[in-house]
Amino acid sequence: MKKGVTVFPEFISEMSFMAQKDYKNKFFIYITHRTNSYAVNPISYFEGNKIENLAGFAVVSKNPQQKSPSRIKKTFFDKELQYFETIGAALEWKNKILKKQK
């Protein structure tokens, strides 16, 4: 995401379309590497709950300020959600979560 962008539910609709196209009948984890600062409308997480094959959401950032908003997201998002400081840690978590879905 570009710096300063706000993610609205419409973006989640696009993700849902891509998920059905690229991950049809297969669970996936969405990993965001937050190198830029951007906002997410909380309603977007409610929309994310509707993506049946979305198993979870990982936020990767070395910025400790990103960790607090990740806790708030959990109140809106019914699926797995975790904060990581490295992509490697997020990928390990992804593998663990996806194994549970089989």
Side-chain angles (χ1 to χ4, degrees):
M1 296 285 174
K2 291 183 180 181
K3 187 176 183 175
V5 166
T6 299
V7 176
F8 289 101
E10 295 80 27
F11 291 129
I12 305 305
S13 296
E14 179 66 23
M15 185 172 79
S16 179
F17 172 77
M18 291 180 348
Q20 296 310 314
K21 180 181 162 216
D22 297 336
Y23 296 98
K24 188 174 183 172
N25 301 319
K26 193 172 164 184
F27 285 99
F28 73 100
I29 300 286
Y30 184 86
I31 300 175
T32 179
H33 189 192
R34 293 195 67 161
T35 56
N36 293 322
S37 178
Y38 59 90
V40 178
N41 180 317
I43 302 299
S44 299
Y45 292 102
F46 288 125
E47 291 299 312
N49 288 328
K50 296 176 185 176
I51 303 173
E52 291 180 17
N53 58 332
L54 175 62
F57 191 92
V59 178
V60 179
S61 177
K62 292 190 182 209
N63 181 346
Q65 293 176 337
Q66 293 298 326
K67 196 170 193 174
S68 179
S70 293
R71 288 187 195 125
I72 294 167
K73 292 171 190 169
K74 287 184 180 185
T75 62
F76 300 102
F77 193 60
D78 296 335
K79 301 178 186 218
E80 300 281 345
L81 185 132
Q82 192 67 268
Y83 168 87
F84 300 95
E85 291 186 8
T86 67
I87 291 285
L91 292 172
E92 287 179 27
W93 176 80
K94 171 204 61 117
N95 293 336
K96 184 175 122 182
I97 298 302
L98 291 179
K99 278 184 183 178
K100 291 182 191 178
Q101 300 298 326
K102 293 183 180 186

